[in-house]
Amino acid sequence: MSDPPVVIWEDEVRELLTYSALVPRLEEALGHFSRRDSAEVIQPVRTTVALQKHRGFLGLMPTYMENLGVLSTKFVCFYNREAGSTLPATQATVVLLDPEYGNVKAVIDGEVITRMRTAAVSAISAKLLMRPEAEVLAILGTGIQALSHYNVFTEMFSFKEVRVWSRSKERAERFRDLVRGPVTLCVSAEEAVRGADAIVTVTRSTEPVLFGRWVKPGAHVAAVGACRPDWRELDDVLMKEAVVYADSREGAMAESGDVILSGAEMFAELGDVINGTKAAHREKTTVFKSLGMGVEDAVSAKLVFDQWKAKHSQP
């Protein structure tokens, strides 16, 4: 008889998961994923089911990492909410299974995992692609993902200024009140990004909010929103002038409107840079298109579960 599955709720995930522990595990996972000659990572492109009545989608993200003995899947509902909606934009649950027996070992709230692993991978892209002397960070968006990106970017890098823009003055002010450091609130996206060294787009927009003519040559952009083939955050000019990286080439070509609709050429995956098989063009304008991957959820969930076991095994 196998033990009943552990249920780990959001508050405990928040307590157990730290960026300092998560980032190196994600770097390792991204490298493993991009080694195409290896069978140690099996991850199909996310399957989505349309929730038309609710303007949303259910995404299924299974992953098997043989080297780590991790079998998992994430169930994530994400929505194109109307402006001012108080409903959540995403809801997620990660299930860990025993790969040998097939039983469920843990059911873990996926909200903290999703926001932290997404922000951590964006920060890894900046670590690899952003110019070392970067001083100004701009964040377009003020939701939960914007907050997680602010937290990890200011933890990992030393910016002299962080600029933030939102379509809603109230949300921008609430964001400023939530963060632990100083921010400059901007009245327009253009004001936020002009002269910025690093730009993060974490919006619900389905049309471009960031335009290439605004972007400083050599800046690094982490584009996190627009995770459907017909949604966009970045315009054609930026996508075609920048060197474009992704977490998954296959995922970006199937799901990213920024890539598909612009016809931009995909240069590399982050894992290729980590593995040393593709260059990190810090001297050029770079775009990292984040779609999110099952391997990111898998290693994050394993870290949470391992930390949970260590905590509860103490006398």
Side-chain angles (χ1 to χ4, degrees):
M1 287 283 293
S2 58
D3 294 330
V6 170
V7 178
I8 308 177
W9 299 101
E10 181 175 351
D11 288 347
E12 194 161 18
V13 177
R14 188 180 295 110
E15 175 189 334
L16 296 170
L17 199 57
T18 65
Y19 287 119
S20 59
L22 181 59
V23 166
R25 286 166 174 79
L26 287 170
E27 288 178 326
E28 182 182 13
L30 292 166
H32 283 307
F33 174 77
S34 294
R35 294 187 191 121
R36 291 295 185 265
D37 60 343
S38 172
E40 63 187 24
V41 177
I42 300 174
Q43 178 201 270
V45 173
R46 174 169 38 215
T47 298
T48 57
V49 176
L51 310 174
Q52 293 181 352
K53 179 180 178 181
H54 306 289
R55 302 178 66 192
F57 299 86
L58 166 65
L60 305 177
M61 303 171 66
T63 300
Y64 176 46
M65 303 183 73
E66 187 171 87
N67 60 321
L68 295 179
V70 179
L71 177 64
S72 75
T73 192
K74 184 168 81 173
F75 302 85
V76 55
C77 290
F78 55 99
Y79 302 88
N80 180 19
R81 302 293 192 194
E82 295 180 354
S85 173
T86 58
L87 296 174
T90 63
Q91 291 280 285
T93 302
V94 183
V95 176
L96 274 180
L97 303 97
D98 186 302
E100 183 175 6
Y101 290 90
N103 60 293
V104 175
K105 296 195 297 183
V107 179
I108 306 173
D109 181 275
E111 286 302 290
V112 175
I113 284 176
T114 299
R115 72 182 70 143
M116 288 186 66
R117 63 79 156 152
T118 303
V121 172
S122 293
I124 291 168
S125 81
K127 176 182 172 182
L128 297 172
L129 304 172
M130 183 178 72
R131 292 185 177 185
E133 67 274 14
E135 296 184 343
V136 179
L137 169 67
I139 301 175
L140 306 186
T142 51
I144 291 172
Q145 275 291 356
L147 183 60
S148 62
H149 278 73
Y150 177 93
N151 289 339
V152 70
F153 270 69
T154 55
E155 180 177 321
M156 288 180 59
F157 310 106
S158 298
F159 293 103
K160 292 184 178 179
E161 183 182 12
V162 180
R163 305 174 188 164
V164 174
W165 169 81
S166 172
R167 286 195 174 97
S168 164
K169 180 181 178 182
E170 293 74 19
R171 288 198 295 270
E173 291 174 345
R174 183 167 63 247
F175 179 92
R176 180 187 59 196
D177 294 339
L178 285 172
V179 301
R180 294 187 293 269
V183 298
T184 302
L185 300 185
C186 299
V187 297
S188 70
E190 180 178 0
E191 179 188 350
V193 304
R194 284 281 188 186
D197 301 293
I199 303 166
V200 176
T201 59
V202 275
T203 73
R204 298 182 186 181
S205 182
T206 58
E207 299 292 336
V209 293
L210 179 61
F211 296 86
R213 65 181 183 272
W214 300 344
V215 176
K216 174 183 177 179
H220 174 61
V221 178
V224 179
C227 56
R228 295 293 300 158
D230 56 346
W231 295 1
R232 299 194 64 174
E233 288 186 307
L234 316 182
D235 77 336
D236 286 353
V237 172
L238 177 55
M239 289 300 297
K240 290 181 178 179
E241 290 183 350
V243 183
V244 180
Y245 300 78
D247 41 14
S248 163
R249 180 184 296 273
E250 188 179 10
M253 296 304 297
E255 295 184 308
S256 170
D258 286 318
V259 173
I260 296 166
L261 299 177
S262 69
E265 181 181 348
M266 289 288 309
F267 176 71
E269 295 175 343
L270 282 190
D272 296 324
V273 180
I274 291 168
N275 294 335
T277 57
K278 289 284 188 175
H281 286 290
R282 292 178 183 269
E283 77 286 358
K284 298 181 180 180
T285 304
T286 52
V287 166
F288 167 59
K289 182 56 207 173
S290 168
L291 273 303
M293 298 198 299
V295 295
E296 298 163 7
D297 299 308
V299 296
S300 302
K302 184 179 188 301
L303 175 58
V304 169
F305 187 51
D306 289 346
Q307 299 279 57
W308 184 93
K309 287 191 296 183
K311 175 183 174 181
H312 288 271
S313 66
Q314 295 173 359

